[in-house]
Amino acid sequence: PSPDLVCFHSETNREAVATAVQRVAGMLQRSDQLDKVEQYRRREARKKASVEARLKAAIQSQLDGVRTGLSQLHNALRDVKDIQNSLADVSKDWRQSINTIENLKDVKDAVVQHSQLASAVENLKNIFSVPEIVADTQVLIEQAELLEAHRKLMDLECSRDDLMYEQYRMDSKNTHDMNLIRNYFGAVQGLSDDLAKQLWMVLQRAMGTVRRDPTMLVSVVRIIEREEKIDRRMLDRKKQTGFIPPSRPKCWKEKMFEVLEGTVTTRIEGSQSVTREADKMWMVRLLEITRKYVLDDLIVVKNLMVQCFPPHYNTFDRFFKLYHNAVSMRVQELAAEDLEANEIVSLLTWVLNTYKSVEMMSHPELLTEYDIHLMDPLLPQNVVDELLSKYVQTFTSNITGWLRKALETDKKDWFKETEPEADQDGYYQTTLPAIVFQMFEQNLQVAAQIDETFKEEVLKLCLKQMNSFLIRYREEAIAYKEDHLRDRQLPQCYVQYMIAIINNCHTFKESINSLKKKYFKSTEPTQNDAAIERTLNDVAKDGCQFLLDEVFLDLEHHLSELLTRKWLTGTHAVDTICVTVEDYFNDFAKIKKPFNTEMTSEAHRRVVVEYIKAVMQKRITFKNADERREGADRMIKEAEQFKFLFRKLTAVSGEETDRLCDAIAAIAEVFKLTDPTLLYLEVSTLVSKYPDIREEHIVALLAVRGDASREMKQMIIETLNQNKPSYAGNTQPIFKDITVPTVTMTSMSSSMAATANKLLK
């Protein structure tokens, strides 16, 4: 053994001895354990014997494995030598057979020729019977026996394609033989085309066919599916060999979908049975027919046609999209036409609402299959905006014309000899407000069918046009009054129709508020509200003023008699005035509130003002105390008459009513005073009650009284100027609008001439 091995063994022995010493020391730590030494020795001997036995077994097993491996290596070596010898023999044989293989080319050509002849023999029966099969197939096509006709066509095409393929394999450049085969089977292509025409005809009538004879449609689909499989097989062979038969691929499946698309488009386009010239409602009729066709067809597709096509066709989805696209193209064509306003609304209402409603594409039977909201809109938004803009322009032009025509018609009624109609409460009115707002209502209802935003836009447009219309209405009312003033006998019912004009303003206000409440979500006022309100108030105010002018034209003569010598000696002027006013106000009772109340108040004020004007015009100068007393008593009596009259007309006893008439009584008290020294106090009382009275009014009153000296007048005026009360403006002024006539040069000359005549006499 080598030194290293000896060293390894000695090291191992030392480690074993050390380990044994440690084990013995561990077992003999106490003195009583010495009695068990023999027992420990036997146990350790058994363990040693066991370990040695296992070691021997392991070594024996390793030796057996090595022996087996050596045996297999010897066998493998012998096999390698045998294979090497065999390969040498094969190589030797191959070198000797090269010339023999080259001599087998003729055999190879014979094999190819044999294959072609075998194919020809196999198709010999079909080849000789081609004319007969072509004729039979043609008859079957004409008799609509499509499946049988297609079977015979496939046999003919198979025979032709096999022959051409074998010819291609033998000599792909031999076009003469290829053309010979193609010409012999030339009628086959015609049969294929005729059969295709029959298939497309059935597909074009698919909606009717599936109801009447669904098996026919199923046959068509089966034929197309067969052709698709043949197309795929031919294309695969082309990749391998480069050969593909004539007219392949036929792509009949793709053509089928084109035909179905054309059928849907034709069905949608064919729904227009009327034109604008024949029927003004042509758009509504066209859209309704389209809706019915589309809905009926899609229900048929769902319930019947889906069963005739393979599931992977997704038949319903495909038809749903086809109809959607066809309808979209049709409505875009309609939108491009020169449409009228009502036609635009009909189209947009149908596109934006009806199309997606349960009446059409969201019908319960369709909704479970497809959601229309996933599709693109029928009309692009820019087209919708253009149509809405065009509608607004047309509507603006139309409504201007409608309003003008309505006003012209109403104006003609103003000149009728019969009174205007009255409402259920007896108030006079014309049909103008009803016509105008019926017009607005109809257009707003139409606009509401499109969408809420457009509806509000149309409402704002209506209000804008309303403002312009009311301005013209006011102008026509003024012209009506001026025509009447040229001849007060005409029109005969001027007062009644002017009352109706005033009442129309109230009706207009109510109708506008009703429209806004119904069609306008926001409660905020629009930019036209204030202008409309102002114009309506102006029209009503003008009408009331015109009627009062009419009253006072009749009272003019009687008012001129007030505070004259004739009046003082006894006249019925005030009685006539009261009767005339009451008679007019019997008609004015047909004016709606608040205009009738305002008009009564204004009439009362004007009567009092005219009366006081008569005083200020100094038509009379009282000569003595008796005349002053008599005149004052008459004034007080007439003030009571006015007070009674207007209490009766207003049906209330208001403070303002009494205050107006009390102004006449207060002036009468100034005239009635017998003691001139107390005149200042009486005038002061008058001024305190009516602070709008001016200096010229007091001068005129003192002049009518007739007994006030120049010094007294001067003193009263100066004292009042110093102590004049301020006007708070809480009550309606009376004297503010009353002017005192000034003395002109002509009147002074006349007065001087009269004085000179008296002196001469």
Side-chain angles (χ1 to χ4, degrees), residues 119-120 122-127 129-130 133 152-166 181 185 188:
S119 177
E122 183 179 352
N123 293 287
L124 195 59
K125 181 179 179 181
N126 291 335
I127 291 173
S129 59
V130 164
I133 296 174
K152 290 181 176 293
L153 176 63
M154 285 194 301
D155 291 342
L156 290 171
E157 289 180 337
C158 183
S159 299
R160 178 197 65 186
D161 297 345
D162 287 348
L163 289 173
M164 294 184 73
Y165 176 63
E166 294 300 333
I181 298 172
F185 286 90
V188 174

PDB file of all heavy atoms in Angstrom, residues 119-120 122-127 129-130 133 152-166 181 185 188:
ATOM      1  N   SER A 119     -57.343   7.897 -63.296  1.00  0.00           N
ATOM      2  CA  SER A 119     -58.305   8.976 -63.028  1.00  0.00           C
ATOM      3  C   SER A 119     -59.290   9.097 -64.169  1.00  0.00           C
ATOM      4  O   SER A 119     -60.484   9.296 -63.950  1.00  0.00           O
ATOM      5  CB  SER A 119     -57.548  10.292 -62.831  1.00  0.00           C
ATOM      6  OG  SER A 119     -58.442  11.353 -62.642  1.00  0.00           O
ATOM      7  N   ALA A 120     -58.785   8.949 -65.405  1.00  0.00           N
ATOM      8  CA  ALA A 120     -59.677   9.047 -66.561  1.00  0.00           C
ATOM      9  C   ALA A 120     -60.683   7.908 -66.563  1.00  0.00           C
ATOM     10  O   ALA A 120     -61.863   8.098 -66.845  1.00  0.00           O
ATOM     11  CB  ALA A 120     -58.852   9.044 -67.841  1.00  0.00           C
ATOM     12  N   GLU A 122     -61.666   6.277 -63.980  1.00  0.00           N
ATOM     13  CA  GLU A 122     -62.604   6.492 -62.865  1.00  0.00           C
ATOM     14  C   GLU A 122     -63.689   7.488 -63.256  1.00  0.00           C
ATOM     15  O   GLU A 122     -64.838   7.351 -62.853  1.00  0.00           O
ATOM     16  CB  GLU A 122     -61.822   7.001 -61.662  1.00  0.00           C
ATOM     17  CG  GLU A 122     -62.700   7.182 -60.418  1.00  0.00           C
ATOM     18  CD  GLU A 122     -61.879   7.666 -59.240  1.00  0.00           C
ATOM     19  OE1 GLU A 122     -60.641   7.719 -59.339  1.00  0.00           O
ATOM     20  OE2 GLU A 122     -62.490   8.002 -58.220  1.00  0.00           O
ATOM     21  N   ASN A 123     -63.335   8.541 -64.043  1.00  0.00           N
ATOM     22  CA  ASN A 123     -64.307   9.565 -64.432  1.00  0.00           C
ATOM     23  C   ASN A 123     -64.860   9.321 -65.836  1.00  0.00           C
ATOM     24  O   ASN A 123     -65.512  10.205 -66.391  1.00  0.00           O
ATOM     25  CB  ASN A 123     -63.654  10.948 -64.404  1.00  0.00           C
ATOM     26  CG  ASN A 123     -63.300  11.375 -62.996  1.00  0.00           C
ATOM     27  OD1 ASN A 123     -64.164  11.717 -62.211  1.00  0.00           O
ATOM     28  ND2 ASN A 123     -62.005  11.329 -62.668  1.00  0.00           N
ATOM     29  N   LEU A 124     -64.544   8.125 -66.383  1.00  0.00           N
ATOM     30  CA  LEU A 124     -64.938   7.862 -67.763  1.00  0.00           C
ATOM     31  C   LEU A 124     -66.445   7.947 -67.951  1.00  0.00           C
ATOM     32  O   LEU A 124     -66.936   8.526 -68.919  1.00  0.00           O
ATOM     33  CB  LEU A 124     -64.416   6.477 -68.181  1.00  0.00           C
ATOM     34  CG  LEU A 124     -64.426   6.187 -69.679  1.00  0.00           C
ATOM     35  CD1 LEU A 124     -63.573   7.207 -70.425  1.00  0.00           C
ATOM     36  CD2 LEU A 124     -63.926   4.766 -69.950  1.00  0.00           C
ATOM     37  N   LYS A 125     -67.148   7.385 -66.990  1.00  0.00           N
ATOM     38  CA  LYS A 125     -68.605   7.404 -67.093  1.00  0.00           C
ATOM     39  C   LYS A 125     -69.120   8.830 -67.122  1.00  0.00           C
ATOM     40  O   LYS A 125     -69.984   9.181 -67.935  1.00  0.00           O
ATOM     41  CB  LYS A 125     -69.196   6.629 -65.915  1.00  0.00           C
ATOM     42  CG  LYS A 125     -70.714   6.577 -65.943  1.00  0.00           C
ATOM     43  CD  LYS A 125     -71.244   5.776 -64.749  1.00  0.00           C
ATOM     44  CE  LYS A 125     -72.764   5.743 -64.780  1.00  0.00           C
ATOM     45  NZ  LYS A 125     -73.304   4.996 -63.614  1.00  0.00           N
ATOM     46  N   ASN A 126     -68.564   9.686 -66.181  1.00  0.00           N
ATOM     47  CA  ASN A 126     -69.011  11.087 -66.154  1.00  0.00           C
ATOM     48  C   ASN A 126     -68.578  11.834 -67.403  1.00  0.00           C
ATOM     49  O   ASN A 126     -69.299  12.708 -67.899  1.00  0.00           O
ATOM     50  CB  ASN A 126     -68.456  11.799 -64.922  1.00  0.00           C
ATOM     51  CG  ASN A 126     -69.093  11.290 -63.633  1.00  0.00           C
ATOM     52  OD1 ASN A 126     -70.210  10.783 -63.661  1.00  0.00           O
ATOM     53  ND2 ASN A 126     -68.382  11.410 -62.518  1.00  0.00           N
ATOM     54  N   ILE A 127     -67.386  11.502 -67.895  1.00  0.00           N
ATOM     55  CA  ILE A 127     -66.884  12.212 -69.072  1.00  0.00           C
ATOM     56  C   ILE A 127     -67.789  11.982 -70.273  1.00  0.00           C
ATOM     57  O   ILE A 127     -68.164  12.920 -70.978  1.00  0.00           O
ATOM     58  CB  ILE A 127     -65.442  11.754 -69.381  1.00  0.00           C
ATOM     59  CG1 ILE A 127     -64.501  12.251 -68.281  1.00  0.00           C
ATOM     60  CG2 ILE A 127     -64.994  12.279 -70.749  1.00  0.00           C
ATOM     61  CD1 ILE A 127     -63.091  11.706 -68.411  1.00  0.00           C
ATOM     62  N   SER A 129     -70.883  11.101 -70.180  1.00  0.00           N
ATOM     63  CA  SER A 129     -72.269  11.519 -69.931  1.00  0.00           C
ATOM     64  C   SER A 129     -72.376  12.993 -69.567  1.00  0.00           C
ATOM     65  O   SER A 129     -73.398  13.440 -69.033  1.00  0.00           O
ATOM     66  CB  SER A 129     -72.871  10.671 -68.800  1.00  0.00           C
ATOM     67  OG  SER A 129     -72.119  10.813 -67.605  1.00  0.00           O
ATOM     68  N   VAL A 130     -71.299  13.802 -69.811  1.00  0.00           N
ATOM     69  CA  VAL A 130     -71.331  15.235 -69.469  1.00  0.00           C
ATOM     70  C   VAL A 130     -72.508  15.954 -70.119  1.00  0.00           C
ATOM     71  O   VAL A 130     -73.259  16.662 -69.435  1.00  0.00           O
ATOM     72  CB  VAL A 130     -69.988  15.902 -69.843  1.00  0.00           C
ATOM     73  CG1 VAL A 130     -70.131  17.425 -69.860  1.00  0.00           C
ATOM     74  CG2 VAL A 130     -68.915  15.511 -68.861  1.00  0.00           C
ATOM     75  N   ILE A 133     -75.675  14.928 -68.273  1.00  0.00           N
ATOM     76  CA  ILE A 133     -75.744  15.446 -66.896  1.00  0.00           C
ATOM     77  C   ILE A 133     -76.001  16.952 -66.907  1.00  0.00           C
ATOM     78  O   ILE A 133     -76.762  17.484 -66.086  1.00  0.00           O
ATOM     79  CB  ILE A 133     -74.443  15.116 -66.140  1.00  0.00           C
ATOM     80  CG1 ILE A 133     -74.274  13.598 -66.007  1.00  0.00           C
ATOM     81  CG2 ILE A 133     -74.445  15.767 -64.762  1.00  0.00           C
ATOM     82  CD1 ILE A 133     -72.937  13.197 -65.388  1.00  0.00           C
ATOM     83  N   LYS A 152     -75.300  17.234 -58.734  1.00  0.00           N
ATOM     84  CA  LYS A 152     -74.821  16.903 -60.078  1.00  0.00           C
ATOM     85  C   LYS A 152     -73.739  17.891 -60.528  1.00  0.00           C
ATOM     86  O   LYS A 152     -72.756  17.513 -61.182  1.00  0.00           O
ATOM     87  CB  LYS A 152     -75.987  16.904 -61.060  1.00  0.00           C
ATOM     88  CG  LYS A 152     -76.953  15.747 -60.867  1.00  0.00           C
ATOM     89  CD  LYS A 152     -78.071  15.777 -61.885  1.00  0.00           C
ATOM     90  CE  LYS A 152     -78.978  14.549 -61.735  1.00  0.00           C
ATOM     91  NZ  LYS A 152     -78.272  13.295 -62.086  1.00  0.00           N
ATOM     92  N   LEU A 153     -73.907  19.170 -60.170  1.00  0.00           N
ATOM     93  CA  LEU A 153     -72.910  20.172 -60.537  1.00  0.00           C
ATOM     94  C   LEU A 153     -71.570  19.864 -59.866  1.00  0.00           C
ATOM     95  O   LEU A 153     -70.503  19.983 -60.494  1.00  0.00           O
ATOM     96  CB  LEU A 153     -73.400  21.570 -60.131  1.00  0.00           C
ATOM     97  CG  LEU A 153     -72.420  22.715 -60.369  1.00  0.00           C
ATOM     98  CD1 LEU A 153     -72.117  22.873 -61.855  1.00  0.00           C
ATOM     99  CD2 LEU A 153     -72.979  24.028 -59.806  1.00  0.00           C
ATOM    100  N   MET A 154     -71.617  19.454 -58.598  1.00  0.00           N
ATOM    101  CA  MET A 154     -70.375  19.102 -57.904  1.00  0.00           C
ATOM    102  C   MET A 154     -69.694  17.914 -58.567  1.00  0.00           C
ATOM    103  O   MET A 154     -68.456  17.877 -58.685  1.00  0.00           O
ATOM    104  CB  MET A 154     -70.669  18.797 -56.426  1.00  0.00           C
ATOM    105  CG  MET A 154     -70.944  20.016 -55.580  1.00  0.00           C
ATOM    106  SD  MET A 154     -70.876  19.648 -53.806  1.00  0.00           S
ATOM    107  CE  MET A 154     -72.146  18.409 -53.671  1.00  0.00           C
ATOM    108  N   ASP A 155     -70.490  16.898 -59.051  1.00  0.00           N
ATOM    109  CA  ASP A 155     -69.897  15.750 -59.746  1.00  0.00           C
ATOM    110  C   ASP A 155     -69.185  16.197 -61.016  1.00  0.00           C
ATOM    111  O   ASP A 155     -68.053  15.757 -61.307  1.00  0.00           O
ATOM    112  CB  ASP A 155     -70.983  14.722 -60.087  1.00  0.00           C
ATOM    113  CG  ASP A 155     -71.541  14.045 -58.834  1.00  0.00           C
ATOM    114  OD1 ASP A 155     -70.858  14.113 -57.787  1.00  0.00           O
ATOM    115  OD2 ASP A 155     -72.646  13.476 -58.904  1.00  0.00           O
ATOM    116  N   LEU A 156     -69.845  17.060 -61.779  1.00  0.00           N
ATOM    117  CA  LEU A 156     -69.244  17.554 -63.016  1.00  0.00           C
ATOM    118  C   LEU A 156     -67.963  18.340 -62.722  1.00  0.00           C
ATOM    119  O   LEU A 156     -66.929  18.155 -63.386  1.00  0.00           O
ATOM    120  CB  LEU A 156     -70.242  18.438 -63.764  1.00  0.00           C
ATOM    121  CG  LEU A 156     -71.441  17.715 -64.392  1.00  0.00           C
ATOM    122  CD1 LEU A 156     -72.466  18.715 -64.908  1.00  0.00           C
ATOM    123  CD2 LEU A 156     -70.975  16.812 -65.537  1.00  0.00           C
ATOM    124  N   GLU A 157     -68.032  19.221 -61.749  1.00  0.00           N
ATOM    125  CA  GLU A 157     -66.858  20.031 -61.418  1.00  0.00           C
ATOM    126  C   GLU A 157     -65.727  19.159 -60.872  1.00  0.00           C
ATOM    127  O   GLU A 157     -64.547  19.413 -61.156  1.00  0.00           O
ATOM    128  CB  GLU A 157     -67.232  21.106 -60.397  1.00  0.00           C
ATOM    129  CG  GLU A 157     -68.108  22.221 -60.975  1.00  0.00           C
ATOM    130  CD  GLU A 157     -68.451  23.274 -59.945  1.00  0.00           C
ATOM    131  OE1 GLU A 157     -68.410  22.966 -58.723  1.00  0.00           O
ATOM    132  OE2 GLU A 157     -68.763  24.409 -60.347  1.00  0.00           O
ATOM    133  N   CYS A 158     -66.090  18.118 -60.110  1.00  0.00           N
ATOM    134  CA  CYS A 158     -65.074  17.214 -59.560  1.00  0.00           C
ATOM    135  C   CYS A 158     -64.351  16.476 -60.695  1.00  0.00           C
ATOM    136  O   CYS A 158     -63.121  16.356 -60.682  1.00  0.00           O
ATOM    137  CB  CYS A 158     -65.724  16.235 -58.601  1.00  0.00           C
ATOM    138  SG  CYS A 158     -64.557  15.119 -57.799  1.00  0.00           S
ATOM    139  N   SER A 159     -65.124  15.960 -61.682  1.00  0.00           N
ATOM    140  CA  SER A 159     -64.509  15.271 -62.824  1.00  0.00           C
ATOM    141  C   SER A 159     -63.590  16.216 -63.584  1.00  0.00           C
ATOM    142  O   SER A 159     -62.438  15.876 -63.928  1.00  0.00           O
ATOM    143  CB  SER A 159     -65.593  14.725 -63.758  1.00  0.00           C
ATOM    144  OG  SER A 159     -66.400  13.788 -63.086  1.00  0.00           O
ATOM    145  N   ARG A 160     -64.061  17.400 -63.871  1.00  0.00           N
ATOM    146  CA  ARG A 160     -63.246  18.384 -64.599  1.00  0.00           C
ATOM    147  C   ARG A 160     -61.975  18.740 -63.825  1.00  0.00           C
ATOM    148  O   ARG A 160     -60.869  18.762 -64.378  1.00  0.00           O
ATOM    149  CB  ARG A 160     -64.088  19.638 -64.847  1.00  0.00           C
ATOM    150  CG  ARG A 160     -63.347  20.755 -65.565  1.00  0.00           C
ATOM    151  CD  ARG A 160     -64.078  22.071 -65.407  1.00  0.00           C
ATOM    152  NE  ARG A 160     -64.092  22.497 -64.001  1.00  0.00           N
ATOM    153  CZ  ARG A 160     -64.771  23.559 -63.556  1.00  0.00           C
ATOM    154  NH1 ARG A 160     -65.486  24.289 -64.411  1.00  0.00           N
ATOM    155  NH2 ARG A 160     -64.748  23.876 -62.278  1.00  0.00           N
ATOM    156  N   ASP A 161     -62.155  19.014 -62.514  1.00  0.00           N
ATOM    157  CA  ASP A 161     -61.012  19.458 -61.706  1.00  0.00           C
ATOM    158  C   ASP A 161     -59.968  18.353 -61.556  1.00  0.00           C
ATOM    159  O   ASP A 161     -58.757  18.620 -61.579  1.00  0.00           O
ATOM    160  CB  ASP A 161     -61.497  19.929 -60.336  1.00  0.00           C
ATOM    161  CG  ASP A 161     -62.414  21.133 -60.434  1.00  0.00           C
ATOM    162  OD1 ASP A 161     -62.455  21.765 -61.511  1.00  0.00           O
ATOM    163  OD2 ASP A 161     -63.104  21.455 -59.437  1.00  0.00           O
ATOM    164  N   ASP A 162     -60.436  17.092 -61.422  1.00  0.00           N
ATOM    165  CA  ASP A 162     -59.472  15.986 -61.287  1.00  0.00           C
ATOM    166  C   ASP A 162     -58.666  15.809 -62.569  1.00  0.00           C
ATOM    167  O   ASP A 162     -57.436  15.609 -62.534  1.00  0.00           O
ATOM    168  CB  ASP A 162     -60.208  14.689 -60.948  1.00  0.00           C
ATOM    169  CG  ASP A 162     -60.714  14.679 -59.511  1.00  0.00           C
ATOM    170  OD1 ASP A 162     -60.290  15.569 -58.745  1.00  0.00           O
ATOM    171  OD2 ASP A 162     -61.544  13.811 -59.162  1.00  0.00           O
ATOM    172  N   LEU A 163     -59.367  15.848 -63.715  1.00  0.00           N
ATOM    173  CA  LEU A 163     -58.668  15.709 -64.994  1.00  0.00           C
ATOM    174  C   LEU A 163     -57.654  16.835 -65.200  1.00  0.00           C
ATOM    175  O   LEU A 163     -56.516  16.605 -65.618  1.00  0.00           O
ATOM    176  CB  LEU A 163     -59.674  15.688 -66.142  1.00  0.00           C
ATOM    177  CG  LEU A 163     -60.541  14.419 -66.254  1.00  0.00           C
ATOM    178  CD1 LEU A 163     -61.609  14.601 -67.320  1.00  0.00           C
ATOM    179  CD2 LEU A 163     -59.665  13.202 -66.585  1.00  0.00           C
ATOM    180  N   MET A 164     -58.054  18.050 -64.884  1.00  0.00           N
ATOM    181  CA  MET A 164     -57.160  19.188 -65.069  1.00  0.00           C
ATOM    182  C   MET A 164     -55.981  19.110 -64.098  1.00  0.00           C
ATOM    183  O   MET A 164     -54.849  19.487 -64.435  1.00  0.00           O
ATOM    184  CB  MET A 164     -57.919  20.497 -64.870  1.00  0.00           C
ATOM    185  CG  MET A 164     -58.992  20.756 -65.937  1.00  0.00           C
ATOM    186  SD  MET A 164     -59.818  22.339 -65.767  1.00  0.00           S
ATOM    187  CE  MET A 164     -58.534  23.442 -66.321  1.00  0.00           C
ATOM    188  N   TYR A 165     -56.234  18.586 -62.891  1.00  0.00           N
ATOM    189  CA  TYR A 165     -55.154  18.464 -61.912  1.00  0.00           C
ATOM    190  C   TYR A 165     -54.113  17.443 -62.382  1.00  0.00           C
ATOM    191  O   TYR A 165     -52.902  17.675 -62.277  1.00  0.00           O
ATOM    192  CB  TYR A 165     -55.731  18.071 -60.563  1.00  0.00           C
ATOM    193  CG  TYR A 165     -54.671  17.820 -59.514  1.00  0.00           C
ATOM    194  CD1 TYR A 165     -53.813  18.839 -59.097  1.00  0.00           C
ATOM    195  CD2 TYR A 165     -54.523  16.554 -58.946  1.00  0.00           C
ATOM    196  CE1 TYR A 165     -52.836  18.601 -58.153  1.00  0.00           C
ATOM    197  CE2 TYR A 165     -53.546  16.308 -57.994  1.00  0.00           C
ATOM    198  CZ  TYR A 165     -52.701  17.338 -57.596  1.00  0.00           C
ATOM    199  OH  TYR A 165     -51.730  17.103 -56.660  1.00  0.00           O
ATOM    200  N   GLU A 166     -54.608  16.285 -62.907  1.00  0.00           N
ATOM    201  CA  GLU A 166     -53.678  15.267 -63.395  1.00  0.00           C
ATOM    202  C   GLU A 166     -52.875  15.791 -64.583  1.00  0.00           C
ATOM    203  O   GLU A 166     -51.676  15.526 -64.701  1.00  0.00           O
ATOM    204  CB  GLU A 166     -54.444  13.997 -63.780  1.00  0.00           C
ATOM    205  CG  GLU A 166     -55.095  13.280 -62.618  1.00  0.00           C
ATOM    206  CD  GLU A 166     -54.075  12.828 -61.575  1.00  0.00           C
ATOM    207  OE1 GLU A 166     -52.897  12.598 -61.952  1.00  0.00           O
ATOM    208  OE2 GLU A 166     -54.443  12.723 -60.397  1.00  0.00           O
ATOM    209  N   ILE A 181     -59.739  20.255 -72.065  1.00  0.00           N
ATOM    210  CA  ILE A 181     -60.601  19.807 -70.949  1.00  0.00           C
ATOM    211  C   ILE A 181     -61.582  20.920 -70.569  1.00  0.00           C
ATOM    212  O   ILE A 181     -62.776  20.672 -70.349  1.00  0.00           O
ATOM    213  CB  ILE A 181     -59.735  19.415 -69.739  1.00  0.00           C
ATOM    214  CG1 ILE A 181     -58.811  18.251 -70.098  1.00  0.00           C
ATOM    215  CG2 ILE A 181     -60.613  19.064 -68.554  1.00  0.00           C
ATOM    216  CD1 ILE A 181     -57.789  17.927 -69.020  1.00  0.00           C
ATOM    217  N   PHE A 185     -65.780  20.817 -70.756  1.00  0.00           N
ATOM    218  CA  PHE A 185     -66.663  21.058 -69.601  1.00  0.00           C
ATOM    219  C   PHE A 185     -67.148  22.515 -69.555  1.00  0.00           C
ATOM    220  O   PHE A 185     -67.503  23.031 -68.488  1.00  0.00           O
ATOM    221  CB  PHE A 185     -65.908  20.757 -68.289  1.00  0.00           C
ATOM    222  CG  PHE A 185     -65.715  19.295 -68.026  1.00  0.00           C
ATOM    223  CD1 PHE A 185     -64.579  18.629 -68.483  1.00  0.00           C
ATOM    224  CD2 PHE A 185     -66.663  18.566 -67.325  1.00  0.00           C
ATOM    225  CE1 PHE A 185     -64.399  17.281 -68.237  1.00  0.00           C
ATOM    226  CE2 PHE A 185     -66.486  17.223 -67.075  1.00  0.00           C
ATOM    227  CZ  PHE A 185     -65.343  16.565 -67.529  1.00  0.00           C
ATOM    228  N   VAL A 188     -70.361  23.582 -67.789  1.00  0.00           N
ATOM    229  CA  VAL A 188     -70.439  23.480 -66.325  1.00  0.00           C
ATOM    230  C   VAL A 188     -70.440  24.865 -65.685  1.00  0.00           C
ATOM    231  O   VAL A 188     -71.176  25.125 -64.730  1.00  0.00           O
ATOM    232  CB  VAL A 188     -69.265  22.634 -65.787  1.00  0.00           C
ATOM    233  CG1 VAL A 188     -69.247  22.641 -64.272  1.00  0.00           C
ATOM    234  CG2 VAL A 188     -69.352  21.215 -66.327  1.00  0.00           C
TER     235      VAL A 188
END
